[in-house]
Amino acid sequence: MTANPGRWIGRTYLGLVLVFLYLPIAIMILMAFNRSALYELPFTFDTVWFEALAKNDRLLTASFNSVVIAAINAVIATTIGTLAALGLARYSFRGRRLLQLLLFPPITIPWLIIGTSMLVFFFWTGIGRGLHAILLGHVALSLPYVIVVVGARLASFGAQLEEAAATLGATPWQILRRVTAPILAPGIMAASLFAFAVSFDQFVISYFLAAPGTSTLPVEIYTSIRKGFTPEINAISSIIILVSMGLMMLVVRHFRFGGER
Amino acid sequence: MSRVEIAHLCKRYDSVTALDDVSIAFEDGEFFGLLGPSGSGKTTLLRALAGFVIPDSGTIRFDGQRVENVPVHRREIGMVFQNYALFPHLTVNENIAFGLSVRGRPRAETAKRVDAMLALVRLEGLGERKPRQLSGGQQQRVALARALVTDPKILLLDEPLGALDRRLRQEMQVELREIQRSTGITAVFVTHDQEEALTLSDRIAIIDRGRLIQIGPPRDVYERPATIFAAQFLGDTNLFQGIPDGESLKLSGGQVLRTAGPNAGAVVVRPEKIGVYPADATPTTDNRLDGEILQAIFSGASVTYRVRVPALGETPLLAFLQNQAGDVLAPGARVSLAWSAAHTVPVAS
Amino acid sequence: MDATTRRRWAIAGLTGPAYLWLALTVFLPLSAMFYFSFLTAAPIGGRVAAFTLEHYIAFFTKSVYWFNARRSLELGIHVTLACILIGYPAALVLAKQISGRWREALFLLIILPFWSNALVRTFSWTMVLRGDGLIGRMINPLLPAGWEFDLLFTYPAIVIGLVHAYLPYAILTIYISLQAIDDSFIEAARSLGASRLKAFRRITLPLSIPGVLAGIFLIFVPVIGSFMEPRILGGKNAIMLGPIIENQFVTAFNWPLGSALSFIMLGIVLLVLAIASPVVRRHLSVG
């Protein structure tokens, strides 16, 4: 169909795009294993920075905070998000479109504005800053993604199965437990991994809502960069990027297999 | 088995009237067909019986008890969905057992009943399969078995055979009827396929735009349609309009048709009731019109003629004939059309 | 309890928690910030504030804000344009030339970096762009005298970093809309006498506009509001609205001003999008 040169041009172009996308990440990971602290070549493989990382309390505490918040966020966002997705998908009511539209602002308004408005509001109402505030913010950002992901899975198998179960005498609770939940499970898994990733990688909101002294990993990395580069940041950054990309691969594979059925 | 009655059911969605004062008393053990075009409200009616639609006004009674406010899972109905809605994550056995298991029936009893059901729908041996491993026809039977196993008061079927191809559909029609007869359950099904409605039903209701147009046994509704819509929806028909005159109808060209009773200006004649003769023949029937063949459609066992008849103007007259003689009249041929007064049925508009 | 009431409670119970959370953390805060933007000072800690329009007026009168807004808009346009121009061919190749498992795999590869940590990604660019970084050390000895590869803390660095971040978005949205175009449309056009190029211009391009628009929308807005990438990659060169707003909240503590600037930014974004979409649509449609 396409002339041969056309094919090769196309593939080369795509290859170049991929190189562009992965170049900085590759270099960063490479440098994390380089003994030199200042990018000096030649490249000597060394894990010294990872060892230094293990002793860097600030970074470790921040990592811990990030993981815990991301986990709690995943649980909360997945739970209330799934419920909301069920409500939106299985019932038609006045105002449903409005509710669906309301899911857009958190993801389309620049996070800068969302972060600052949260800061303003939380301070004003006494909620204040800190890890609890960060959690509040992260759940808000994760919710639209959870609702959309779970909603898509719900749409794919329609209300018919639940109606059939009702005609067979199952109470709403039984329907949820025996029909909806098992079939929805892959979608819920994907959504919770999504939520975890959104929270773990989140910088802007965490930046504004962090109380001095305690913060999450991205914020900690940012302040360290502003102060002056230390190679441990390289190490932790490499770990993070590999973890979050790995997480995403998991989501896709899971979702793919769940969606097949 | 129970008496199911609906009275004066009304339902509106915004500006659309889905059900307009519909009342039907279903006979115990009958196979009842709800027939109508898309959007006629027939599915809304079925879903109201099931409990998915809550009527604005009117009553639904099962054995004399009002059930409009009884939730779906407590109405003790059985329902077969258009796409079967088999639970993909459960086996055939588990699907069929579902209704019993949510009621907490003991395992042994459930297993026995499931086996009995599998035998009834002739799917023995397939119990451990998953739905996606079954053919369309097999899935349909599982759906039926699942709905019947709980001994429901009424069986509701939403376009049950719509997803099957023609041959399979005809087989399933026969099976469905047999199963319903052997269990004696009252069944209400929805279809837009009039042939199916005629074949399966003990009684039919024709519904259009939320209103009940006509209700009765298939033969009655077919041979004596109440309105022009009923006549045209259920099979083909020829519509003659003119000035009523006692038991006759005066057509615009001066011809007079003898009708089966007093009319209000409109009568219908079914195509299969019309005989086609050469132009110079003089059949001794009540009604006779001359015409010219426009088109002859040969379909093997029968022939359909489209005939230009002055009395009908632009609309061709349709006549169905069995292909007895084996020869087909050519377009342009002049013919005489003849039929009896008894088959000239007055309809309301 | 009758059926209708039961239904209402079910709907409220299911959607309530999530939307209450959103109300508390997104909608109320936005309203609060809007309210703040009209005050002389933040009404916290016992301070009393009066109604004023001075912050909004300041935007129009102080040239520094205009300048920054303009820079932000330029940045938005440059990055969005680059993403679309680079991304469209890539999406085209992916949608039309590659098939099967390769397509899925490549698609995943393209999306993956997008889902990695934005901060870390931006940080990784500092290592590529700095003069004494890996690339710098390899290229500089080869460059003619007077030329130097040191892009860090320059405007191009910001653009590169942002394009890298949002390119997958563009490829994603354009790919989705290209994929939906049935090959039979192209075949029909060619059977009617259109050359490959013509078929592309008159069939493929117009049908892919929704994807392009979606991409523009999804890229332009965050880029205008970015402050982290400009700060990290641009350093002192990060004279844009984003960093200025961040400044008001974190360093200068002039929250009402920051609030006003935030809403002005939001307004600018919506205005540009409202103007841009019909233009793009008309320009790329059958012509």
Side-chain angles (χ1 to χ4, degrees):
Chain A
M1 248 193 5
T2 11
N4 257 331
R7 282 218 114 119
W8 281 110
I9 295 179
R11 290 183 187 194
T12 318
Y13 183 77
L14 208 53
L16 284 175
V17 168
L18 280 173
V19 166
F20 172 65
L21 287 178
Y22 282 94
L23 182 68
I25 299 174
I27 290 187
M28 182 179 73
I29 297 180
L30 207 61
M31 285 299 117
F33 285 101
N34 190 9
R35 177 157 338 134
S36 154
L38 297 166
Y39 302 102
E40 273 147 28
L41 296 176
F43 177 82
T44 14
F45 183 86
D46 204 330
T47 55
V48 58
W49 304 120
F50 289 92
E51 292 156 23
L53 179 61
K55 301 199 200 81
N56 189 328
D57 281 337
R58 278 248 307 283
L59 282 180
L60 286 180
T61 322
S63 308
F64 180 72
N65 291 339
S66 277
V67 170
V68 168
I69 291 182
I72 302 181
N73 166 75
V75 168
I76 298 181
T78 309
T79 311
I80 65 179
T82 302
L83 290 178
L86 279 170
L88 289 173
R90 294 296 185 241
Y91 293 88
S92 66
F93 52 94
R94 217 160 260 165
R96 194 174 77 141
R97 274 237 55 170
L98 178 64
L99 285 187
Q100 283 171 328
L101 285 173
L102 285 179
L103 290 176
F104 274 92
I107 35 182
T108 53
I109 296 183
W111 281 338
L112 168 66
I113 300 183
I114 302 225
T116 53
S117 64
M118 278 187 196
L119 175 64
V120 162
F121 187 69
F122 288 174
F123 231 84
W124 194 27
T125 54
I127 300 179
R129 299 186 288 179
L131 294 179
H132 60 289
I134 294 180
L135 182 62
L136 282 176
H138 284 193
V139 171
L141 290 183
S142 309
L143 274 177
Y145 294 106
V146 170
I147 295 182
V148 165
V149 167
V150 174
R153 180 100 181 107
L154 278 173
S156 76
F157 71 87
Q160 279 218 334
L161 291 177
E162 289 149 14
E163 287 182 347
T167 64
L168 291 165
T171 63
W173 175 240
Q174 281 175 316
I175 297 178
L176 191 65
R177 209 165 44 89
R178 305 180 58 155
V179 179
T180 319
I183 301 183
L184 206 51
I188 295 185
M189 273 304 320
S192 58
L193 285 176
F194 239 95
F196 186 90
V198 165
S199 165
F200 191 73
D201 291 339
Q202 176 52 227
F203 166 71
V204 177
I205 309 283
S206 312
Y207 176 72
F208 284 107
L209 295 178
T214 56
S215 66
T216 61
L217 192 51
V219 179
E220 197 56 55
I221 294 180
Y222 180 76
T223 40
S224 297
I225 296 178
R226 300 308 306 282
K227 284 202 216 121
F229 169 73
T230 58
E232 287 109 78
I233 299 183
N234 229 349
I236 188 87
S237 302
S238 303
I239 297 181
I240 293 185
I241 233 178
L242 288 172
V243 164
S244 54
M245 294 211 291
L247 216 59
M248 268 306 124
M249 296 212 76
L250 244 154
V251 168
V252 170
R253 298 196 79 220
H254 221 128
F255 205 21
R256 183 73 37 98
F257 291 151
E260 224 71 299
R261 245 164 344 115
Chain B
M1 317 314 137
S2 66
R3 273 198 69 73
V4 177
E5 305 161 289
I6 56 178
H8 305 294
L9 230 46
C10 293
K11 179 71 183 175
R12 296 183 58 129
Y13 290 110
D14 286 332
S15 54
V16 177
T17 307
L19 291 175
D20 193 354
D21 196 20
V22 179
S23 306
I24 303 178
F26 299 96
E27 299 287 335
D28 202 2
E30 77 172 334
F31 207 118
F32 194 97
L34 290 173
L35 178 65
S38 313
S40 53
K42 56 193 195 296
T43 309
T44 310
L45 182 54
L46 194 78
R47 288 171 69 85
L49 280 169
F52 295 119
V53 166
I54 305 181
D56 296 330
S57 64
T59 63
I60 305 177
R61 287 178 206 270
F62 288 7
D63 283 329
Q65 307 269 43
R66 290 179 59 160
V67 298
E68 304 95 73
N69 277 317
V70 175
V72 175
H73 61 277
R74 282 210 285 268
R75 286 201 191 189
E76 293 183 56
I77 55 173
M79 188 156 176
V80 177
F81 291 77
Q82 190 166 4
N83 294 315
Y84 318 131
L86 296 179
F87 305 126
H89 60 300
L90 301 178
T91 63
V92 166
N93 278 338
E94 289 167 338
N95 261 283
I96 299 179
F98 192 84
L100 296 173
S101 112
V102 295
R103 277 165 237 249
R105 298 283 177 78
R107 286 257 174 100
E109 179 197 329
T110 304
K112 270 197 355 215
R113 294 221 54 182
V114 170
D115 286 335
M117 272 299 143
L118 278 175
L120 181 67
V121 296
R122 300 191 293 120
L123 282 179
E124 299 103 316
L126 295 178
E128 285 307 306
R129 300 249 183 112
K130 286 267 178 72
R132 65 170 179 274
Q133 295 170 297
L134 302 177
S135 70
Q138 291 170 326
Q139 288 184 7
Q140 220 249 11
R141 290 191 235 160
V142 174
L144 191 59
R146 183 178 70 176
L148 289 173
V149 79
T150 56
D151 224 349
K153 296 190 170 147
I154 183 173
L155 181 64
L156 304 170
L157 305 121
D158 187 359
E159 309 248 16
L161 306 177
L164 302 173
D165 65 58
R166 193 183 151 81
R167 173 137 305 173
L168 201 49
R169 199 188 306 187
Q170 286 172 340
E171 281 175 25
M172 281 308 305
Q173 280 174 0
V174 174
E175 269 201 50
L176 200 54
R177 219 28 191 120
E178 276 176 18
I179 295 175
Q180 184 259 345
R181 252 194 260 267
S182 68
T183 56
I185 191 172
T186 312
V188 179
F189 75 101
V190 155
T191 181
H192 61 273
D193 183 329
Q194 24 112 335
E195 203 186 296
E196 187 167 283
L198 289 173
T199 322
L200 289 177
S201 323
D202 291 319
R203 280 199 303 161
I204 300 183
I206 299 185
I207 301 191
D208 180 37
R209 277 176 289 195
R211 294 183 143 251
L212 186 58
I213 305 291
Q214 191 172 358
I215 181 172
R219 276 199 61 185
D220 286 356
V221 179
Y222 182 78
E223 302 290 5
R224 280 178 289 282
T227 66
I228 296 182
F229 176 82
Q232 290 179 327
F233 189 75
L234 200 57
D236 292 303
T237 189
N238 296 297
L239 173 67
F240 292 97
Q241 289 174 302
I243 304 174
D245 180 17
E247 300 213 347
S248 307
L249 182 72
K250 269 215 189 79
L251 299 177
S252 58
Q255 305 102 318
V256 174
L257 295 179
R258 306 257 307 274
T259 65
N263 67 82
V267 296
V268 292
V269 186
R270 294 279 182 203
E272 69 274 7
K273 309 290 195 287
I274 300 181
V276 180
Y277 301 94
D280 49 6
T282 45
T284 51
T285 54
D286 302 308
N287 292 318
R288 203 198 120 177
L289 284 178
D290 292 324
E292 180 189 318
I293 302 229
L294 286 172
Q295 208 182 353
I297 304 170
F298 175 71
S299 10
S302 61
V303 186
T304 305
Y305 288 113
R306 292 162 64 93
V307 187
R308 194 167 70 84
V309 164
L312 285 177
E314 290 301 312
T315 318
L317 176 138
L318 287 172
F320 290 163
L321 295 178
Q322 283 213 336
N323 185 15
Q324 257 185 346
D327 57 9
V328 173
L329 295 169
R334 311 204 118 260
V335 291
S336 251
L337 305 151
W339 67 93
S340 70
H343 292 141
T344 315
V345 182
V347 290
S349 34
Chain C
M1 199 191 294
D2 81 338
T4 326
T5 322
R6 236 194 347 248
R7 196 169 170 273
R8 290 216 182 105
W9 273 105
I11 297 174
L14 287 173
T15 58
Y19 281 92
L20 276 173
W21 196 292
L22 284 177
L24 183 69
T25 53
V26 176
F27 303 120
L28 280 179
L30 283 173
S31 318
M33 194 164 82
F34 191 61
Y35 168 60
F36 267 50
S37 67
F38 292 106
L39 301 177
T40 49
I44 300 177
R47 263 179 303 166
V48 177
F51 176 83
T52 174
L53 287 173
E54 70 190 33
H55 308 296
Y56 285 98
I57 297 177
F59 175 78
F60 291 101
T61 52
K62 294 217 185 114
S63 61
V64 61
Y65 296 134
W66 260 124
F67 183 67
N68 278 274
R70 222 190 66 219
R71 291 261 299 187
S72 289
L73 275 175
E74 280 172 14
L75 182 66
I77 294 176
H78 290 156
V79 172
T80 309
L81 213 59
C83 284
I84 302 281
L85 288 176
I86 299 178
Y88 198 104
L92 199 59
V93 170
L94 199 57
K96 296 299 169 194
Q97 285 189 10
I98 304 188
S99 54
R101 314 203 63 193
W102 269 114
R103 189 197 278 199
E104 279 178 22
L106 282 173
F107 188 70
L108 187 60
L109 276 179
I110 290 179
I111 297 300
L112 227 38
F114 173 70
W115 274 110
S116 62
N117 197 311
L119 179 69
V120 166
R121 239 180 14 226
T122 315
F123 170 61
S124 67
W125 270 108
T126 64
M127 281 185 261
V128 177
L129 297 170
R130 58 193 311 140
D132 56 347
L134 190 65
I135 306 235
R137 277 173 194 268
M138 291 196 302
I139 292 189
N140 274 327
L142 305 171
L143 288 176
W147 285 56
E148 204 203 334
F149 178 89
D150 184 356
L151 283 176
L152 200 51
F153 305 132
T154 62
Y155 181 75
I158 304 179
V159 174
I160 293 178
L162 285 170
V163 168
H164 180 259
Y166 290 101
L167 184 60
Y169 243 155
I171 299 182
L172 175 68
T173 57
I174 297 177
Y175 170 79
I176 290 179
S177 71
L178 280 175
Q179 234 211 348
I181 301 177
D182 213 310
D183 280 336
S184 55
F185 292 165
I186 309 293
E187 286 171 358
R190 304 214 53 221
S191 75
L192 288 165
S195 69
R196 237 185 281 275
L197 191 61
K198 263 227 175 86
F200 173 76
R201 173 96 179 73
R202 305 192 69 177
I203 310 276
T204 313
L205 198 54
L207 285 177
S208 65
I209 287 189
V212 173
L213 279 179
I216 291 179
F217 183 68
L218 288 173
I219 298 175
F220 189 73
V221 176
V223 166
I224 298 251
S226 58
F227 80 91
M228 180 255 291
E229 291 92 343
R231 274 268 160 79
I232 295 183
L233 295 171
K236 286 198 270 285
N237 250 308
I239 320 166
M240 281 148 206
L241 212 48
I244 285 202
I245 294 180
E246 184 250 348
N247 211 16
Q248 301 307 319
F249 282 97
V250 171
T251 323
F253 284 108
N254 188 347
W255 288 8
L257 179 60
S259 311
L261 290 175
S262 297
F263 277 98
I264 291 181
M265 175 198 277
L266 203 53
I268 293 179
V269 165
L270 291 176
L271 196 66
V272 172
L273 288 175
I275 297 178
S277 3
V279 170
V280 172
R281 200 173 278 142
R282 220 181 331 121
H283 228 82
L284 293 182
S285 283
V286 184

